[in-house]
Amino acid sequence: PNLEPYLPHTELMRATSAAMLPEDCWKYLTQDLFEMFYSHSLYDIHCPETRYKTEIVRLDKDKERLNQLRRGGDAARGMMASMAAAAAAAGGTEREIRQATAFTREHEKDLERITRHSSILSTDLKRQKKHCDAVRKTFDSKKSSFFSGLKDEDVEKLTAETFLTYCVYPRCRLTPEDALYCAEFVMLLHNMEVSGFYTLKYVDRLINAFVGSAYSITEDEAGNLSILLKSTWGWIKNWRDDKALFEKEVAGKPGSKMDDGEGGTKELSYDEFKLLYNKWHSILGQTFLGCIESKEYIHTRAGLIFLSRLVSVFPTRPVLGERIMDALAPLKDDTSRQDLRSMALGYSSQLIKARDEGVWEEDSAAAKARREQKEKEAEERRKNAEKQFQEMQKESEAIDRQIGVGGDGRRDYDRARSAPRGGGPPHGGVGQLKSPLNASAPKFTPAGGGPTRDLRGNDHGRDSRDHPARSTREMDDYHRHHPETRGRGGPGDRGQLEGRWERGGSH
């Protein structure tokens, strides 16, 4: 048979939906609410306008950058310099750097693509906003029928549980999108002030349901359920933190009603709501602690998934936060289960960051004490590092004394090896000689043969023991046999020549 279109308000579909639930459920839930819940998706009731605008702004900036590059001139000079620097840092050749700063065919394709995507996103944003407004009008026109025909005592007794059991809980475990849809649907009912929908009572039942299911869900279901819980706890936390916001969005509305302990309901004040918040916080905390301290692998993993997802909004009480950190310590040292160890380490870092950013509601005295303790620990670490450095410096100096390191930082052995052999000048220039000869080589044997001389105590003069002083005639004879030395003159030349003779007459 052919598939028929889904028309929720036809008699056939209403008869079909009526058969989906036990007959007793319809005493606490209407078909209009049931059909509206299962007939829509996240796209119908929630428009992520902020996300759209952020992405459009990013694309527009990229488009403007490429347009400047195409136009060139002063406007593009800074951008071209940064692009050239990036290409050079990446190890590009000169040709690749030039191409990086030119408006190429690839840049033109990127500009066309970015322009097209920006236009598509802008169009989608307008279309989805228009669609969500139309769906919202449909909800407004039918909200009076969501709980019509039900007895007041039945609504107060089991409507929240029935809606959670047969609508929210089955759907929120399917996909992340369905989990977020459930949270947005509940918030939509609350903001529309639907008569008969008690938001706080629904949240109370949701937390109780979570406690009962935390130890019997799969990893994927834990991830989906944590999305619902994070979104729900987010606006509960905002009401808890801001009394004015609570008075504006909750007080005096149907969503502010809660069990009165006598089978009925009553509106909660802000102080009563804070007590209820603390109760929920404690219940969730005990559940999470039980999960991460459990010996069962899946319980621990599910608990870490919940806590990692909720870290920006939970926990908010310092006592519970410290207990969670203590419970994470064994997991961070557990090398037998590396995946849990990695998750525990990651969540621990996120939890410390959330604490430092003020997610925990610490009083001023506790925050001051923790800050002073951190400063004290940092000062101790600095002193220990300074002490270690001084000890290392003393040890280094002792080693230098043992191996004979002088003031120039070189060992005696290295200094002796780097000195010129035979007492020559440091860089090979005869005229630069400033000491007689190297003290580390007190004996000198002429290259052409002859007796070994003791060089200690010699000055810059000539050694008359091996080579008597040369006369002017002898010098002239030398110039005659070595024409390349003629014309130099001066005492420096004579000194150089005498230096050569002192070394055995080699040129």
Side-chain angles (χ1 to χ4, degrees), residues 1 17 19 27 51 54 91 100-101 128 148 155 157 223-224 244 247 259 308 310 391 408 416 425 439 443 466 477 483:
S17 61
K27 294 194 302 181
R51 185 70 178 271
T54 300
T101 58
Q128 188 172 359
S148 63
V155 171
K157 187 183 300 183
N224 297 336
E247 297 291 343
D259 294 333
S308 299
L310 295 170
E391 292 176 352
D408 57 357
K443 301 292 185 179
D466 288 342
D477 291 340

mmCIF file with all atom_site columns, all heavy atoms in Angstrom, residues 1 17 19 27 51 54 91 100-101 128 148 155 157 223-224 244 247 259 308 310 391 408 416 425 439 443 466 477 483:
data_model
loop_
_atom_site.group_PDB
_atom_site.id
_atom_site.type_symbol
_atom_site.label_atom_id
_atom_site.label_alt_id
_atom_site.label_comp_id
_atom_site.label_asym_id
_atom_site.label_entity_id
_atom_site.label_seq_id
_atom_site.pdbx_PDB_ins_code
_atom_site.Cartn_x
_atom_site.Cartn_y
_atom_site.Cartn_z
_atom_site.occupancy
_atom_site.B_iso_or_equiv
_atom_site.pdbx_formal_charge
_atom_site.auth_seq_id
_atom_site.auth_comp_id
_atom_site.auth_asym_id
_atom_site.auth_atom_id
_atom_site.pdbx_PDB_model_num
ATOM 1   N N   . PRO A 1 1   ? 0.836   -1.205 0.000  1.00 0.00 ? 1   PRO A N   1
ATOM 2   C CA  . PRO A 1 1   ? 0.000   0.000  0.000  1.00 0.00 ? 1   PRO A CA  1
ATOM 3   C C   . PRO A 1 1   ? 0.866   1.248  0.000  1.00 0.00 ? 1   PRO A C   1
ATOM 4   O O   . PRO A 1 1   ? 1.993   1.252  0.467  1.00 0.00 ? 1   PRO A O   1
ATOM 5   C CB  . PRO A 1 1   ? -0.781  -0.130 1.303  1.00 0.00 ? 1   PRO A CB  1
ATOM 6   C CG  . PRO A 1 1   ? 0.083   -0.990 2.172  1.00 0.00 ? 1   PRO A CG  1
ATOM 7   C CD  . PRO A 1 1   ? 0.759   -1.966 1.236  1.00 0.00 ? 1   PRO A CD  1
ATOM 8   N N   . SER A 1 17  ? -3.061  7.853  16.948 1.00 0.00 ? 17  SER A N   1
ATOM 9   C CA  . SER A 1 17  ? -2.292  8.329  18.099 1.00 0.00 ? 17  SER A CA  1
ATOM 10  C C   . SER A 1 17  ? -2.935  7.903  19.412 1.00 0.00 ? 17  SER A C   1
ATOM 11  O O   . SER A 1 17  ? -2.243  7.651  20.404 1.00 0.00 ? 17  SER A O   1
ATOM 12  C CB  . SER A 1 17  ? -2.163  9.851  18.052 1.00 0.00 ? 17  SER A CB  1
ATOM 13  O OG  . SER A 1 17  ? -3.439  10.467 18.102 1.00 0.00 ? 17  SER A OG  1
ATOM 14  N N   . ALA A 1 19  ? -4.249  5.149  20.017 1.00 0.00 ? 19  ALA A N   1
ATOM 15  C CA  . ALA A 1 19  ? -3.897  3.753  20.283 1.00 0.00 ? 19  ALA A CA  1
ATOM 16  C C   . ALA A 1 19  ? -2.432  3.582  20.676 1.00 0.00 ? 19  ALA A C   1
ATOM 17  O O   . ALA A 1 19  ? -2.023  2.471  21.028 1.00 0.00 ? 19  ALA A O   1
ATOM 18  C CB  . ALA A 1 19  ? -4.209  2.907  19.051 1.00 0.00 ? 19  ALA A CB  1
ATOM 19  N N   . LYS A 1 27  ? -6.106  10.403 30.629 1.00 0.00 ? 27  LYS A N   1
ATOM 20  C CA  . LYS A 1 27  ? -6.704  11.172 31.716 1.00 0.00 ? 27  LYS A CA  1
ATOM 21  C C   . LYS A 1 27  ? -5.783  12.305 32.166 1.00 0.00 ? 27  LYS A C   1
ATOM 22  O O   . LYS A 1 27  ? -6.234  13.260 32.789 1.00 0.00 ? 27  LYS A O   1
ATOM 23  C CB  . LYS A 1 27  ? -6.995  10.256 32.916 1.00 0.00 ? 27  LYS A CB  1
ATOM 24  C CG  . LYS A 1 27  ? -8.046  9.201  32.659 1.00 0.00 ? 27  LYS A CG  1
ATOM 25  C CD  . LYS A 1 27  ? -8.511  8.569  33.948 1.00 0.00 ? 27  LYS A CD  1
ATOM 26  C CE  . LYS A 1 27  ? -7.359  7.946  34.725 1.00 0.00 ? 27  LYS A CE  1
ATOM 27  N NZ  . LYS A 1 27  ? -7.844  7.298  35.977 1.00 0.00 ? 27  LYS A NZ  1
ATOM 28  N N   . ARG A 1 51  ? 24.086  32.060 16.287 1.00 0.00 ? 51  ARG A N   1
ATOM 29  C CA  . ARG A 1 51  ? 25.031  31.230 15.515 1.00 0.00 ? 51  ARG A CA  1
ATOM 30  C C   . ARG A 1 51  ? 25.049  31.647 14.043 1.00 0.00 ? 51  ARG A C   1
ATOM 31  O O   . ARG A 1 51  ? 26.118  31.724 13.416 1.00 0.00 ? 51  ARG A O   1
ATOM 32  C CB  . ARG A 1 51  ? 24.631  29.761 15.655 1.00 0.00 ? 51  ARG A CB  1
ATOM 33  C CG  . ARG A 1 51  ? 25.588  28.781 15.005 1.00 0.00 ? 51  ARG A CG  1
ATOM 34  C CD  . ARG A 1 51  ? 26.903  28.730 15.761 1.00 0.00 ? 51  ARG A CD  1
ATOM 35  N NE  . ARG A 1 51  ? 27.810  27.758 15.179 1.00 0.00 ? 51  ARG A NE  1
ATOM 36  C CZ  . ARG A 1 51  ? 27.840  26.469 15.534 1.00 0.00 ? 51  ARG A CZ  1
ATOM 37  N NH1 . ARG A 1 51  ? 27.016  26.020 16.473 1.00 0.00 ? 51  ARG A NH1 1
ATOM 38  N NH2 . ARG A 1 51  ? 28.693  25.639 14.978 1.00 0.00 ? 51  ARG A NH2 1
ATOM 39  N N   . THR A 1 54  ? 26.959  35.037 13.773 1.00 0.00 ? 54  THR A N   1
ATOM 40  C CA  . THR A 1 54  ? 28.399  34.874 13.972 1.00 0.00 ? 54  THR A CA  1
ATOM 41  C C   . THR A 1 54  ? 29.068  34.345 12.715 1.00 0.00 ? 54  THR A C   1
ATOM 42  O O   . THR A 1 54  ? 30.137  34.828 12.302 1.00 0.00 ? 54  THR A O   1
ATOM 43  C CB  . THR A 1 54  ? 28.656  33.923 15.148 1.00 0.00 ? 54  THR A CB  1
ATOM 44  O OG1 . THR A 1 54  ? 28.070  34.462 16.335 1.00 0.00 ? 54  THR A OG1 1
ATOM 45  C CG2 . THR A 1 54  ? 30.154  33.725 15.367 1.00 0.00 ? 54  THR A CG2 1
ATOM 46  N N   . GLY A 1 91  ? 58.115  28.110 4.957  1.00 0.00 ? 91  GLY A N   1
ATOM 47  C CA  . GLY A 1 91  ? 59.216  27.573 4.167  1.00 0.00 ? 91  GLY A CA  1
ATOM 48  C C   . GLY A 1 91  ? 59.018  27.701 2.675  1.00 0.00 ? 91  GLY A C   1
ATOM 49  O O   . GLY A 1 91  ? 59.628  26.960 1.897  1.00 0.00 ? 91  GLY A O   1
ATOM 50  N N   . ALA A 1 100 ? 51.559  34.182 -3.013 1.00 0.00 ? 100 ALA A N   1
ATOM 51  C CA  . ALA A 1 100 ? 50.697  34.325 -1.840 1.00 0.00 ? 100 ALA A CA  1
ATOM 52  C C   . ALA A 1 100 ? 50.181  35.741 -1.691 1.00 0.00 ? 100 ALA A C   1
ATOM 53  O O   . ALA A 1 100 ? 49.126  35.962 -1.097 1.00 0.00 ? 100 ALA A O   1
ATOM 54  C CB  . ALA A 1 100 ? 51.454  33.909 -0.583 1.00 0.00 ? 100 ALA A CB  1
ATOM 55  N N   . THR A 1 101 ? 50.911  36.715 -2.211 1.00 0.00 ? 101 THR A N   1
ATOM 56  C CA  . THR A 1 101 ? 50.499  38.117 -2.061 1.00 0.00 ? 101 THR A CA  1
ATOM 57  C C   . THR A 1 101 ? 49.799  38.650 -3.299 1.00 0.00 ? 101 THR A C   1
ATOM 58  O O   . THR A 1 101 ? 49.473  39.845 -3.351 1.00 0.00 ? 101 THR A O   1
ATOM 59  C CB  . THR A 1 101 ? 51.734  38.981 -1.773 1.00 0.00 ? 101 THR A CB  1
ATOM 60  O OG1 . THR A 1 101 ? 52.684  38.829 -2.833 1.00 0.00 ? 101 THR A OG1 1
ATOM 61  C CG2 . THR A 1 101 ? 52.370  38.584 -0.452 1.00 0.00 ? 101 THR A CG2 1
ATOM 62  N N   . GLN A 1 128 ? 14.146  30.736 8.240  1.00 0.00 ? 128 GLN A N   1
ATOM 63  C CA  . GLN A 1 128 ? 13.866  29.990 9.460  1.00 0.00 ? 128 GLN A CA  1
ATOM 64  C C   . GLN A 1 128 ? 13.171  30.860 10.505 1.00 0.00 ? 128 GLN A C   1
ATOM 65  O O   . GLN A 1 128 ? 12.295  30.383 11.229 1.00 0.00 ? 128 GLN A O   1
ATOM 66  C CB  . GLN A 1 128 ? 15.151  29.400 10.036 1.00 0.00 ? 128 GLN A CB  1
ATOM 67  C CG  . GLN A 1 128 ? 14.888  28.442 11.199 1.00 0.00 ? 128 GLN A CG  1
ATOM 68  C CD  . GLN A 1 128 ? 16.117  27.704 11.655 1.00 0.00 ? 128 GLN A CD  1
ATOM 69  O OE1 . GLN A 1 128 ? 17.191  27.878 11.091 1.00 0.00 ? 128 GLN A OE1 1
ATOM 70  N NE2 . GLN A 1 128 ? 15.974  26.891 12.682 1.00 0.00 ? 128 GLN A NE2 1
ATOM 71  N N   . SER A 1 148 ? -6.969  21.078 28.095 1.00 0.00 ? 148 SER A N   1
ATOM 72  C CA  . SER A 1 148 ? -8.416  21.232 28.240 1.00 0.00 ? 148 SER A CA  1
ATOM 73  C C   . SER A 1 148 ? -9.080  19.864 28.350 1.00 0.00 ? 148 SER A C   1
ATOM 74  O O   . SER A 1 148 ? -8.625  18.877 27.765 1.00 0.00 ? 148 SER A O   1
ATOM 75  C CB  . SER A 1 148 ? -8.990  22.001 27.039 1.00 0.00 ? 148 SER A CB  1
ATOM 76  O OG  . SER A 1 148 ? -8.797  21.266 25.841 1.00 0.00 ? 148 SER A OG  1
ATOM 77  N N   . VAL A 1 155 ? -4.479  16.815 36.644 1.00 0.00 ? 155 VAL A N   1
ATOM 78  C CA  . VAL A 1 155 ? -3.372  17.617 36.126 1.00 0.00 ? 155 VAL A CA  1
ATOM 79  C C   . VAL A 1 155 ? -2.331  17.835 37.215 1.00 0.00 ? 155 VAL A C   1
ATOM 80  O O   . VAL A 1 155 ? -1.132  17.710 36.996 1.00 0.00 ? 155 VAL A O   1
ATOM 81  C CB  . VAL A 1 155 ? -3.902  18.957 35.587 1.00 0.00 ? 155 VAL A CB  1
ATOM 82  C CG1 . VAL A 1 155 ? -2.733  19.881 35.249 1.00 0.00 ? 155 VAL A CG1 1
ATOM 83  C CG2 . VAL A 1 155 ? -4.768  18.736 34.366 1.00 0.00 ? 155 VAL A CG2 1
ATOM 84  N N   . LYS A 1 157 ? -1.774  16.022 39.732 1.00 0.00 ? 157 LYS A N   1
ATOM 85  C CA  . LYS A 1 157 ? -1.227  14.778 40.255 1.00 0.00 ? 157 LYS A CA  1
ATOM 86  C C   . LYS A 1 157 ? -0.196  14.155 39.326 1.00 0.00 ? 157 LYS A C   1
ATOM 87  O O   . LYS A 1 157 ? 0.947   13.906 39.732 1.00 0.00 ? 157 LYS A O   1
ATOM 88  C CB  . LYS A 1 157 ? -2.361  13.785 40.516 1.00 0.00 ? 157 LYS A CB  1
ATOM 89  C CG  . LYS A 1 157 ? -1.920  12.506 41.219 1.00 0.00 ? 157 LYS A CG  1
ATOM 90  C CD  . LYS A 1 157 ? -3.100  11.539 41.362 1.00 0.00 ? 157 LYS A CD  1
ATOM 91  C CE  . LYS A 1 157 ? -4.233  12.148 42.183 1.00 0.00 ? 157 LYS A CE  1
ATOM 92  N NZ  . LYS A 1 157 ? -5.341  11.168 42.361 1.00 0.00 ? 157 LYS A NZ  1
ATOM 93  N N   . GLY A 1 223 ? 25.079  10.662 26.484 1.00 0.00 ? 223 GLY A N   1
ATOM 94  C CA  . GLY A 1 223 ? 25.418  11.896 25.792 1.00 0.00 ? 223 GLY A CA  1
ATOM 95  C C   . GLY A 1 223 ? 24.193  12.708 25.424 1.00 0.00 ? 223 GLY A C   1
ATOM 96  O O   . GLY A 1 223 ? 24.170  13.943 25.571 1.00 0.00 ? 223 GLY A O   1
ATOM 97  N N   . ASN A 1 224 ? 23.126  12.037 24.946 1.00 0.00 ? 224 ASN A N   1
ATOM 98  C CA  . ASN A 1 224 ? 21.902  12.743 24.569 1.00 0.00 ? 224 ASN A CA  1
ATOM 99  C C   . ASN A 1 224 ? 21.177  13.293 25.790 1.00 0.00 ? 224 ASN A C   1
ATOM 100 O O   . ASN A 1 224 ? 20.718  14.451 25.788 1.00 0.00 ? 224 ASN A O   1
ATOM 101 C CB  . ASN A 1 224 ? 20.978  11.805 23.795 1.00 0.00 ? 224 ASN A CB  1
ATOM 102 C CG  . ASN A 1 224 ? 21.592  11.333 22.489 1.00 0.00 ? 224 ASN A CG  1
ATOM 103 O OD1 . ASN A 1 224 ? 22.472  12.004 21.920 1.00 0.00 ? 224 ASN A OD1 1
ATOM 104 N ND2 . ASN A 1 224 ? 21.154  10.184 22.003 1.00 0.00 ? 224 ASN A ND2 1
ATOM 105 N N   . ALA A 1 244 ? 15.839  38.957 40.279 1.00 0.00 ? 244 ALA A N   1
ATOM 106 C CA  . ALA A 1 244 ? 15.016  39.761 39.372 1.00 0.00 ? 244 ALA A CA  1
ATOM 107 C C   . ALA A 1 244 ? 14.559  38.933 38.175 1.00 0.00 ? 244 ALA A C   1
ATOM 108 O O   . ALA A 1 244 ? 13.408  39.060 37.719 1.00 0.00 ? 244 ALA A O   1
ATOM 109 C CB  . ALA A 1 244 ? 15.804  40.986 38.909 1.00 0.00 ? 244 ALA A CB  1
ATOM 110 N N   . GLU A 1 247 ? 11.773  36.637 39.320 1.00 0.00 ? 247 GLU A N   1
ATOM 111 C CA  . GLU A 1 247 ? 10.508  37.365 39.464 1.00 0.00 ? 247 GLU A CA  1
ATOM 112 C C   . GLU A 1 247 ? 9.879   37.657 38.107 1.00 0.00 ? 247 GLU A C   1
ATOM 113 O O   . GLU A 1 247 ? 8.653   37.688 37.969 1.00 0.00 ? 247 GLU A O   1
ATOM 114 C CB  . GLU A 1 247 ? 10.754  38.680 40.213 1.00 0.00 ? 247 GLU A CB  1
ATOM 115 C CG  . GLU A 1 247 ? 11.257  38.508 41.642 1.00 0.00 ? 247 GLU A CG  1
ATOM 116 C CD  . GLU A 1 247 ? 10.189  37.919 42.562 1.00 0.00 ? 247 GLU A CD  1
ATOM 117 O OE1 . GLU A 1 247 ? 8.993   37.951 42.189 1.00 0.00 ? 247 GLU A OE1 1
ATOM 118 O OE2 . GLU A 1 247 ? 10.548  37.424 43.648 1.00 0.00 ? 247 GLU A OE2 1
ATOM 119 N N   . ASP A 1 259 ? 4.571   20.797 44.198 1.00 0.00 ? 259 ASP A N   1
ATOM 120 C CA  . ASP A 1 259 ? 3.791   20.053 45.191 1.00 0.00 ? 259 ASP A CA  1
ATOM 121 C C   . ASP A 1 259 ? 3.848   20.757 46.542 1.00 0.00 ? 259 ASP A C   1
ATOM 122 O O   . ASP A 1 259 ? 4.917   21.224 46.974 1.00 0.00 ? 259 ASP A O   1
ATOM 123 C CB  . ASP A 1 259 ? 4.320   18.627 45.326 1.00 0.00 ? 259 ASP A CB  1
ATOM 124 C CG  . ASP A 1 259 ? 4.105   17.821 44.061 1.00 0.00 ? 259 ASP A CG  1
ATOM 125 O OD1 . ASP A 1 259 ? 3.164   18.132 43.315 1.00 0.00 ? 259 ASP A OD1 1
ATOM 126 O OD2 . ASP A 1 259 ? 4.889   16.877 43.811 1.00 0.00 ? 259 ASP A OD2 1
ATOM 127 N N   . SER A 1 308 ? 31.227  16.084 32.169 1.00 0.00 ? 308 SER A N   1
ATOM 128 C CA  . SER A 1 308 ? 31.939  16.878 31.168 1.00 0.00 ? 308 SER A CA  1
ATOM 129 C C   . SER A 1 308 ? 30.998  17.792 30.410 1.00 0.00 ? 308 SER A C   1
ATOM 130 O O   . SER A 1 308 ? 31.354  18.934 30.078 1.00 0.00 ? 308 SER A O   1
ATOM 131 C CB  . SER A 1 308 ? 32.676  15.953 30.189 1.00 0.00 ? 308 SER A CB  1
ATOM 132 O OG  . SER A 1 308 ? 33.636  15.161 30.867 1.00 0.00 ? 308 SER A OG  1
ATOM 133 N N   . LEU A 1 310 ? 28.156  19.007 31.582 1.00 0.00 ? 310 LEU A N   1
ATOM 134 C CA  . LEU A 1 310 ? 27.534  19.976 32.479 1.00 0.00 ? 310 LEU A CA  1
ATOM 135 C C   . LEU A 1 310 ? 28.534  20.900 33.157 1.00 0.00 ? 310 LEU A C   1
ATOM 136 O O   . LEU A 1 310 ? 28.127  21.708 34.003 1.00 0.00 ? 310 LEU A O   1
ATOM 137 C CB  . LEU A 1 310 ? 26.738  19.236 33.572 1.00 0.00 ? 310 LEU A CB  1
ATOM 138 C CG  . LEU A 1 310 ? 25.540  18.410 33.131 1.00 0.00 ? 310 LEU A CG  1
ATOM 139 C CD1 . LEU A 1 310 ? 25.023  17.564 34.284 1.00 0.00 ? 310 LEU A CD1 1
ATOM 140 C CD2 . LEU A 1 310 ? 24.429  19.316 32.638 1.00 0.00 ? 310 LEU A CD2 1
ATOM 141 N N   . GLU A 1 391 ? 72.283  25.947 44.348 1.00 0.00 ? 391 GLU A N   1
ATOM 142 C CA  . GLU A 1 391 ? 73.025  24.723 44.596 1.00 0.00 ? 391 GLU A CA  1
ATOM 143 C C   . GLU A 1 391 ? 73.716  24.227 43.327 1.00 0.00 ? 391 GLU A C   1
ATOM 144 O O   . GLU A 1 391 ? 74.871  23.787 43.368 1.00 0.00 ? 391 GLU A O   1
ATOM 145 C CB  . GLU A 1 391 ? 72.077  23.649 45.132 1.00 0.00 ? 391 GLU A CB  1
ATOM 146 C CG  . GLU A 1 391 ? 71.541  23.945 46.534 1.00 0.00 ? 391 GLU A CG  1
ATOM 147 C CD  . GLU A 1 391 ? 70.543  22.909 46.981 1.00 0.00 ? 391 GLU A CD  1
ATOM 148 O OE1 . GLU A 1 391 ? 70.163  22.058 46.151 1.00 0.00 ? 391 GLU A OE1 1
ATOM 149 O OE2 . GLU A 1 391 ? 70.135  22.948 48.170 1.00 0.00 ? 391 GLU A OE2 1
ATOM 150 N N   . ASP A 1 408 ? 88.421  33.089 32.058 1.00 0.00 ? 408 ASP A N   1
ATOM 151 C CA  . ASP A 1 408 ? 87.800  33.198 30.740 1.00 0.00 ? 408 ASP A CA  1
ATOM 152 C C   . ASP A 1 408 ? 86.844  32.063 30.450 1.00 0.00 ? 408 ASP A C   1
ATOM 153 O O   . ASP A 1 408 ? 86.326  31.941 29.340 1.00 0.00 ? 408 ASP A O   1
ATOM 154 C CB  . ASP A 1 408 ? 88.884  33.242 29.649 1.00 0.00 ? 408 ASP A CB  1
ATOM 155 C CG  . ASP A 1 408 ? 89.795  32.018 29.703 1.00 0.00 ? 408 ASP A CG  1
ATOM 156 O OD1 . ASP A 1 408 ? 89.607  31.184 30.613 1.00 0.00 ? 408 ASP A OD1 1
ATOM 157 O OD2 . ASP A 1 408 ? 90.671  31.901 28.833 1.00 0.00 ? 408 ASP A OD2 1
ATOM 158 N N   . ALA A 1 416 ? 95.599  25.724 26.642 1.00 0.00 ? 416 ALA A N   1
ATOM 159 C CA  . ALA A 1 416 ? 96.922  25.359 26.130 1.00 0.00 ? 416 ALA A CA  1
ATOM 160 C C   . ALA A 1 416 ? 96.841  24.880 24.688 1.00 0.00 ? 416 ALA A C   1
ATOM 161 O O   . ALA A 1 416 ? 97.692  25.204 23.855 1.00 0.00 ? 416 ALA A O   1
ATOM 162 C CB  . ALA A 1 416 ? 97.546  24.280 27.021 1.00 0.00 ? 416 ALA A CB  1
ATOM 163 N N   . PRO A 1 425 ? 102.137 34.402 16.998 1.00 0.00 ? 425 PRO A N   1
ATOM 164 C CA  . PRO A 1 425 ? 100.998 35.269 17.320 1.00 0.00 ? 425 PRO A CA  1
ATOM 165 C C   . PRO A 1 425 ? 99.700  34.506 17.223 1.00 0.00 ? 425 PRO A C   1
ATOM 166 O O   . PRO A 1 425 ? 99.610  33.516 16.508 1.00 0.00 ? 425 PRO A O   1
ATOM 167 C CB  . PRO A 1 425 ? 101.100 36.385 16.274 1.00 0.00 ? 425 PRO A CB  1
ATOM 168 C CG  . PRO A 1 425 ? 101.853 35.790 15.142 1.00 0.00 ? 425 PRO A CG  1
ATOM 169 C CD  . PRO A 1 425 ? 102.815 34.818 15.750 1.00 0.00 ? 425 PRO A CD  1
ATOM 170 N N   . ALA A 1 439 ? 103.968 30.373 26.907 1.00 0.00 ? 439 ALA A N   1
ATOM 171 C CA  . ALA A 1 439 ? 104.590 29.814 28.115 1.00 0.00 ? 439 ALA A CA  1
ATOM 172 C C   . ALA A 1 439 ? 104.360 28.324 28.248 1.00 0.00 ? 439 ALA A C   1
ATOM 173 O O   . ALA A 1 439 ? 105.073 27.632 28.976 1.00 0.00 ? 439 ALA A O   1
ATOM 174 C CB  . ALA A 1 439 ? 104.062 30.533 29.349 1.00 0.00 ? 439 ALA A CB  1
ATOM 175 N N   . LYS A 1 443 ? 110.227 25.257 25.298 1.00 0.00 ? 443 LYS A N   1
ATOM 176 C CA  . LYS A 1 443 ? 111.343 24.783 24.482 1.00 0.00 ? 443 LYS A CA  1
ATOM 177 C C   . LYS A 1 443 ? 111.018 25.015 23.015 1.00 0.00 ? 443 LYS A C   1
ATOM 178 O O   . LYS A 1 443 ? 109.881 24.821 22.586 1.00 0.00 ? 443 LYS A O   1
ATOM 179 C CB  . LYS A 1 443 ? 111.584 23.290 24.717 1.00 0.00 ? 443 LYS A CB  1
ATOM 180 C CG  . LYS A 1 443 ? 111.888 22.934 26.166 1.00 0.00 ? 443 LYS A CG  1
ATOM 181 C CD  . LYS A 1 443 ? 113.237 23.484 26.624 1.00 0.00 ? 443 LYS A CD  1
ATOM 182 C CE  . LYS A 1 443 ? 113.577 23.028 28.037 1.00 0.00 ? 443 LYS A CE  1
ATOM 183 N NZ  . LYS A 1 443 ? 114.899 23.555 28.475 1.00 0.00 ? 443 LYS A NZ  1
ATOM 184 N N   . ASP A 1 466 ? 121.870 32.018 18.976 1.00 0.00 ? 466 ASP A N   1
ATOM 185 C CA  . ASP A 1 466 ? 121.881 31.264 17.727 1.00 0.00 ? 466 ASP A CA  1
ATOM 186 C C   . ASP A 1 466 ? 122.169 32.148 16.524 1.00 0.00 ? 466 ASP A C   1
ATOM 187 O O   . ASP A 1 466 ? 122.789 31.737 15.565 1.00 0.00 ? 466 ASP A O   1
ATOM 188 C CB  . ASP A 1 466 ? 120.535 30.571 17.516 1.00 0.00 ? 466 ASP A CB  1
ATOM 189 C CG  . ASP A 1 466 ? 120.378 29.411 18.468 1.00 0.00 ? 466 ASP A CG  1
ATOM 190 O OD1 . ASP A 1 466 ? 121.398 28.968 19.009 1.00 0.00 ? 466 ASP A OD1 1
ATOM 191 O OD2 . ASP A 1 466 ? 119.226 28.964 18.685 1.00 0.00 ? 466 ASP A OD2 1
ATOM 192 N N   . ASP A 1 477 ? 122.180 42.610 1.514  1.00 0.00 ? 477 ASP A N   1
ATOM 193 C CA  . ASP A 1 477 ? 122.344 41.368 0.754  1.00 0.00 ? 477 ASP A CA  1
ATOM 194 C C   . ASP A 1 477 ? 121.044 40.564 0.734  1.00 0.00 ? 477 ASP A C   1
ATOM 195 O O   . ASP A 1 477 ? 120.686 39.966 -0.287 1.00 0.00 ? 477 ASP A O   1
ATOM 196 C CB  . ASP A 1 477 ? 123.479 40.534 1.363  1.00 0.00 ? 477 ASP A CB  1
ATOM 197 C CG  . ASP A 1 477 ? 124.851 41.170 1.142  1.00 0.00 ? 477 ASP A CG  1
ATOM 198 O OD1 . ASP A 1 477 ? 124.948 42.019 0.223  1.00 0.00 ? 477 ASP A OD1 1
ATOM 199 O OD2 . ASP A 1 477 ? 125.775 40.811 1.894  1.00 0.00 ? 477 ASP A OD2 1
ATOM 200 N N   . PRO A 1 483 ? 114.017 40.179 -3.872 1.00 0.00 ? 483 PRO A N   1
ATOM 201 C CA  . PRO A 1 483 ? 113.552 41.482 -4.399 1.00 0.00 ? 483 PRO A CA  1
ATOM 202 C C   . PRO A 1 483 ? 112.155 41.847 -3.902 1.00 0.00 ? 483 PRO A C   1
ATOM 203 O O   . PRO A 1 483 ? 111.809 43.023 -3.850 1.00 0.00 ? 483 PRO A O   1
ATOM 204 C CB  . PRO A 1 483 ? 113.565 41.267 -5.922 1.00 0.00 ? 483 PRO A CB  1
ATOM 205 C CG  . PRO A 1 483 ? 114.443 40.085 -6.148 1.00 0.00 ? 483 PRO A CG  1
ATOM 206 C CD  . PRO A 1 483 ? 114.360 39.219 -4.948 1.00 0.00 ? 483 PRO A CD  1
#
